[in-house]
Amino acid sequence: MSTWRNWAGTESATGLEVLRPSSVDEVAAAVKVAAEQGKRLKAVGAGHSFTGCSVPEQVMVRLDRLASITSADSVSGKVTLGAGTGLAKLNAGLTSFDLAMANLGDIDKQTISGAISTGTHGTGAKLGGLATQIVGLELVTADGSVLNCSAEENADVFNAARVSVGALGVITALTLQTVPAFLLRAQEMPLPLGEVLTGFNELADGNDHFEFYWFPHTEIALTKRNNRVAPGVGPSPVGRIRGWVDDELLSNRVFELTNRLSVRRPGLVRRINRLASRALSAREYVDSSYKVFCSERNVVFRESEYAVPREHVVEVVRQLRAWIDRSGERIPFPIEVRVAAADDIWLSTAYGRDTAYVAIHQYHRLPHDKYFDAFEQIVAPFGARPHWGKLHKLGAEQLRERYPRFDDFLAVRDRLDPQRVFGNPYTRQVFGA
Ligand SMILES: Cc1cc2nc3c(=O)[nH]c(=O)nc-3n(C[C@H](O)[C@H](O)[C@H](O)COP(=O)(O)OP(=O)(O)OC[C@H]3O[C@@H](n4cnc5c(N)ncnc54)[C@H](O)[C@@H]3O)c2cc1C
């Protein structure tokens, strides 16, 4: 028997039966037994979701024994790996085959199957999230059978299972379409928020990966442009001392202290944010793609993120800003804006439309409800879709309106898991009983 809690400390569970299978057959047997005993079973990743999507109720399955690359073809770029593989290990492993993921999110602490299951994404106007880089899945379903799916085989399950919030079965292996390893030139610079919003489309379309962080209560946005370098350009990583000062000291240690100060002295937040936005000054460096995409996030926070049709993102940020100014709330954490190309995965937040993501954060020792609720109200008229792993309060009826293939997904779930072996309170909230 054991306990589980997520990274953010928003969800926990006790009294669990914990299984660590080391083969697909062991997973299948475990699922079969749980189903026969009428128990609910949940596969967990690294616990980096803020929502209760991975909360186990009775049987918790960890896939840390199915956690390595099992085959890689440097020519086709197809790589097969165990579902429990962590992204950091995956990135390092791909490097040894001179391969890389085409796009990644901000951190590398998640497992690959946990990341795809909630629609984890990075930024890039012509690129999709991690699940769009999957070309095959091996899934253990509720009756203990093993289903292989891809665009050619069990295509409806493939469309549903790439982003499935753990509700269709236990993913045991995945095949990725990777790309040849590449270097990115990172250009980071603070700019006036007004300038960033006015030029948002040019910035998003004119860079391989564009994002910005706006510090509430200030006029400053920290912009990040990451672009592939021309052939022949070598790495020039950020210096060790500068890297430590920017990424460890300012982004983590000092940030933790300023957040603690914000709890005690909310009146100082405006000034702290101004200082923080200026402290992170312009820098440029060239490094391996995954080192540029991913960084350390050690200050614990709560997050909500909504995907909106890209053409509405500037309006959303303007309304959010107006609300923050009106409300008197003090928010020490920046707001992050990213983009992604439309894709065809039924529950992907970017399904069928070019998308922009607006992510809001709050320090874990500060209340977030009022802020996050207001955000949810602001984005609602834009048909916004919540990140499945980040805080929101929507239920199945509202989500059905925002996902054209929602009922197709539910039909696959009814077929694969009629007894809801893979259900938990979160799946009941977002998909219904
Ligand atoms: C500091 C931080 C930074 C983040 N940055 C980003 C970012 O840049 N972009 C972004 O989009 N998100 C980001 N996230 C959110 C995070 O990527 C997602 O919540 C992700 O799902 C977490 O992966 P995990 O391995 O921790 O999975 P968990 O949170 O443990 O599980 C997520 C879901 O996957 C299911 N699951 C896990 N393994 C399996 C399996 N083998 N078979 C079937 N289902 C399975 C679980 O049941 C659950 O429903 C961030 C989160 C944190 C805390």
Side-chain angles (χ1 to χ4, degrees), residues 30 41 68 151 156 201 235 256 259 356 364 373 415 433:
L41 177 148
S68 54
D156 59 338
N201 280 329
E256 173 68 40
N259 273 282
H364 70 118
D373 286 352
R415 199 172 82 224

Side-chain angles (χ1 to χ4, degrees), residues 196-234:
V196 175
L197 293 182
T198 311
F200 184 75
N201 280 329
E202 291 73 38
L203 289 164
D205 292 328
N207 292 285
D208 294 340
H209 311 270
F210 174 75
E211 68 185 301
F212 74 86
Y213 292 86
W214 167 57
F215 288 82
H217 321 295
T218 79
E219 297 297 324
I220 307 286
L222 182 68
T223 59
K224 295 193 171 194
R225 301 161 219 228
N226 298 331
N227 289 292
R228 284 170 176 251
V229 298
V233 176

Side-chain angles (χ1 to χ4, degrees), residues 183-189 207 209 211 223-229 236-238 282-289 291-293:
L183 296 176
L184 284 174
R185 179 185 305 284
Q187 293 167 293
E188 301 174 359
M189 85 183 73
N207 292 285
H209 311 270
E211 68 185 301
T223 59
K224 295 193 171 194
R225 301 161 219 228
N226 298 331
N227 289 292
R228 284 170 176 251
V229 298
S236 50
V238 75
R283 64 177 185 170
E284 189 169 326
Y285 55 96
V286 176
D287 213 336
S288 303
S289 56
K291 292 185 187 163
V292 173
F293 287 133

Side-chain angles (χ1 to χ4, degrees), residues 302-306 358-361 372 375 390-392:
R302 307 278 151 77
E303 178 172 355
S304 176
E305 181 176 55
Y306 270 88
V358 180
I360 66 169
H361 313 77
F372 286 17
F375 178 52
K390 300 185 186 179
L391 299 175
H392 72 91

Side-chain angles (χ1 to χ4, degrees), residues 43 45-49 53 63 106 110-111 114 118 120-121 171 338 387:
H48 272 57
S49 296
C53 61
L63 291 159
D106 288 346
Q110 311 94 317
T111 61
T118 62
T120 294
H121 62 90
I171 301 166
R338 294 180 276 184
H387 188 302

